[in-house]
Amino acid sequence: MLEHSGLTSVPLCEWTEETVHTFIKSFLKIRFPTLLVLNKCDTASSAKNIKKICKKYGQDRVCVASGLTECFLRKVTKQGFVKYSPGDDDLLTRQDGGEEVSGLKECDEKLQEKVEKARDLVLARFNGTGVQTAIDAAVALKSPICVYPVKSLTTFQCSRNGGYFRDCVLLRNGGTIADVVSAILGSDKTFVHAEAEDGRRMVTDEAIQSEQTVVRLVTMKGAYMPSIRKVDVWLNLLTPLFECFRDAD
């Protein structure tokens, strides 16, 4: 902590009030990294407010977003009117033409107008809705270790239905196999052991290293096949944040 605050050469007895503030500021930055997500970037007054906040806190700590637009695009995508994935900076409708949109439904005039508004005022202007960008940036602040539980260490499949490295669990630095088991199996008592990518058995209190990100969990029922709804880290992270964006709008 002293190194981060540049105070290694300053004796404690010589600390001033300014020195204490410098130390506390460094501590807070490391312990509680903060990202400012400016929602409602699609409103008329957003440009002025965004500029003012970026000037005060710096652009590297700010993400702009429109939760309302993200909700809308997800809804019309699910209904089959639009081709869009979270994080995309553009979308496609049947009116755009081409083979990619041949399976989409035709938008009526009112819906097409709303879609074009989302495209012009948000996607084109901010390179996306900002929701996925904000989530990615927030996760990156903690420099997590990504652990991919698989059914097979040979094929890296996640289930009988296929899918490679489909599921992911995020751990803090120092996270152990016990943390992975807890995240996936919860209170399930059938866990037997875990295997690293090289086939070596791992003890439950062994810390996960950044290069040891693929694990196979073996239970009394055999190799555990993770449930995408239970361990998919993006779903776990996105749901509460996504609700906050929607409620704020």
Side-chain angles (χ1 to χ4, degrees), residues 154-183:
T154 302
T155 64
F156 300 115
Q157 283 184 303
C158 295
S159 69
R160 297 188 184 93
N161 299 324
Y164 304 90
F165 303 112
R166 182 194 64 189
D167 305 322
C168 180
V169 176
L170 291 188
L171 296 180
R172 295 180 179 180
N173 288 319
T176 65
I177 284 296
D179 295 323
V180 178
V181 174
S182 176

Side-chain angles (χ1 to χ4, degrees), residues 32-50:
F32 304 105
T34 303
L35 179 73
L36 303 177
V37 182
L38 311 184
N39 195 26
K40 301 186 179 181
C41 67
D42 52 318
T43 59
S45 61
S46 65
K48 179 180 178 182
N49 293 328
I50 290 171

Side-chain angles (χ1 to χ4, degrees), residues 67-98:
L68 185 63
T69 301
E70 181 73 21
C71 286
F72 168 69
L73 293 180
R74 284 174 174 247
K75 180 180 178 181
V76 292
T77 297
K78 188 175 182 180
Q79 292 173 340
F81 291 104
V82 166
K83 183 178 181 181
Y84 167 80
S85 296
D88 286 354
D89 59 3
D90 200 3
L91 53 82
L92 291 173
T93 66
R94 186 69 179 269
Q95 282 84 334
D96 291 319

Side-chain angles (χ1 to χ4, degrees), residues 5 13 19 40 96 107 161 184 199 226:
S5 54
C13 60
T19 308
K40 301 186 179 181
D96 291 319
C107 295
N161 299 324
I184 298 175

Side-chain angles (χ1 to χ4, degrees), residues 134-158:
I135 293 170
D136 292 345
V139 172
L141 285 175
K142 296 299 292 182
S143 301
I145 294 175
C146 299
V147 179
Y148 298 91
V150 298
K151 178 177 181 289
S152 169
L153 290 172
T154 302
T155 64
F156 300 115
Q157 283 184 303
C158 295

Side-chain angles (χ1 to χ4, degrees), residues 76-129:
V76 292
T77 297
K78 188 175 182 180
Q79 292 173 340
F81 291 104
V82 166
K83 183 178 181 181
Y84 167 80
S85 296
D88 286 354
D89 59 3
D90 200 3
L91 53 82
L92 291 173
T93 66
R94 186 69 179 269
Q95 282 84 334
D96 291 319
E99 293 184 6
E100 287 186 277
V101 299
S102 59
L104 296 178
K105 299 177 183 177
E106 192 85 24
C107 295
D108 59 29
E109 185 177 347
K110 185 176 181 180
L111 180 57
Q112 186 66 29
E113 184 179 344
K114 290 183 178 180
V115 170
E116 291 302 327
K117 183 179 179 181
R119 172 185 266 166
D120 296 338
L121 296 183
V122 179
L123 299 184
R125 185 180 173 193
F126 298 103
N127 295 319
T129 67

